[in-house]
Amino acid sequence: MATLSLSFTSSSSSSSSSSSSSPAALLFPCHLPRFLSVSYKGVWRPQLSLLHVKCLPDKDAILEEEEETVDTSLSNSLSSSSSSISAYNWCAALGALGFLETTYLTFLKFTNSDVFCPLASSSTSCNNILNSHYSLLFGVPLPLIGMIAYGLVTTLALQLAGKELPFRIDETNSRLILLATTTSMSTASTYFLYVLATSFPGDSCAYCLFSALLSFGLLFTTLKASGLQGVQNYVGVQLVLAALVVTALSTSYSISGPVSTSMVDTSMPFFATEITTQSSPFTLSLARHLQSIGAKMYGAFWCSHCVEQKQMFGSEAAKLLDYTECFPDGYRTGVKIDKACANVGIEGFPTWVINGQVLSGELELSELARISGFKQQN
């Protein structure tokens, strides 16, 4: 029987063969030449073969790949950080606007001053709402609570944007406090919008709507800064807070009831002011002309400018004017203006309506004559 034997020899010397068999030698090159000797029936026939060896990547290629991975990770991290800082800056800006608004309303509340509401249907719409029993929460004015809440949001947002957190509060807790505050504010705003639509159907309050818009904007930017994962982690906390806010508001209003909530209750019975000046031929003619064209004057019995306007005409001519009293039953905190005055959209007293023009404030007689088209006959 023929015998087949195989042996491997390197084309180089034995020392070289020994060296190439080590692990380091097998790394490079990828293909090592080997001679395959075949013995068949006593005849040796050398044949050349290639020994395939696994090659390691080039060292430079490895370093380049690692650098690309680090650059990509760093870029993503910076992008996420920049997005969060931008969102917190927006929170700080919106919070600052809310703080200014509520500070103004708090000042008016404590000084018992009327608020000017340019977008309202009448000059007293905002006052009716802001002086109603809904403007207090367990005896504390809502503008004051809002001022504190907006101030807290602004402070936290600025600190998170600058990564300067006082009182040893870490970033995670600061984010949670900010999210809890904006969630509570948005829930309260939703509740007040419902009250505004159901309890004050004929009134509007630009300050209330603006505050609600700010609250919703703050919640949105806070959620954006927290990211999807952060929102999912605290959605249960948000629902509990919303329920607590609604419960607190409902309980407060059910206890207080619809009573006057001005810091200093104001009540004035109606009184008439006597006009002491004498009318002239000019003022009599002007008053008759205003009456003939349907010009109307709207005022309030306590308004000093209304009295001064009548004094310009004199006692006889003032009686000829088509005058409407906007508070015929007296004035007290929370009382609504007369419907005829509300329909005009009065923003101040006195108010004239001449040839379709609504003119606020005390006017000179010459101005009234010009606007009404009055020409004095010689």
Side-chain angles (χ1 to χ4, degrees), residues 61-141:
I62 295 175
L63 293 176
E64 289 180 2
E65 183 177 354
E66 290 179 351
E67 289 178 357
E68 290 179 0
T69 303
V70 172
D71 290 342
T72 302
S73 176
L74 181 61
S75 176
N76 293 336
S77 176
L78 290 175
S79 176
S80 176
S81 176
S82 176
S83 176
S84 297
I85 292 176
S86 176
Y88 288 131
N89 286 335
W90 274 107
C91 273
L94 294 176
L97 288 176
F99 181 79
L100 292 176
E101 180 202 25
T102 49
T103 300
Y104 168 66
L105 295 178
T106 301
F107 170 77
L108 294 180
K109 191 72 174 177
F110 279 97
T111 58
N112 194 37
S113 303
D114 290 337
V115 62
F116 175 70
C117 198
L119 301 181
S121 58
S122 69
S123 61
T124 59
S125 289
C126 285
N127 289 314
N128 290 339
I129 297 170
L130 296 175
N131 289 326
S132 69
H133 74 289
Y134 292 105
S135 64
L136 293 182
L137 182 62
F138 295 108
V140 181

Side-chain angles (χ1 to χ4, degrees), residues 13-69:
S13 63
S14 61
S15 61
S16 174
S17 175
S18 174
S19 173
S20 65
S21 63
S22 65
L26 291 177
L27 298 180
F28 303 100
C30 295
H31 304 286
L32 296 179
R34 293 289 184 270
F35 283 102
L36 176 63
S37 298
V38 180
S39 177
Y40 180 69
K41 294 182 180 183
V43 180
W44 290 92
R45 296 179 180 179
Q47 294 183 4
L48 181 63
S49 177
L50 294 178
L51 178 62
H52 295 277
V53 184
K54 182 179 179 180
C55 299
L56 291 181
D58 184 67
K59 183 178 181 181
D60 293 336
I62 295 175
L63 293 176
E64 289 180 2
E65 183 177 354
E66 290 179 351
E67 289 178 357
E68 290 179 0
T69 303

Side-chain angles (χ1 to χ4, degrees), residues 88 91-92 149-167 169-170 173-181:
Y88 288 131
C91 273
Y150 280 117
L152 176 62
V153 167
T154 304
T155 303
L156 286 175
L158 287 174
Q159 292 169 349
L160 284 168
K163 303 300 182 183
E164 297 178 0
L165 303 173
F167 310 117
I169 302 177
D170 58 23
N173 289 331
S174 296
R175 288 172 180 264
L176 180 58
I177 295 173
L178 183 61
L179 181 62
T181 305

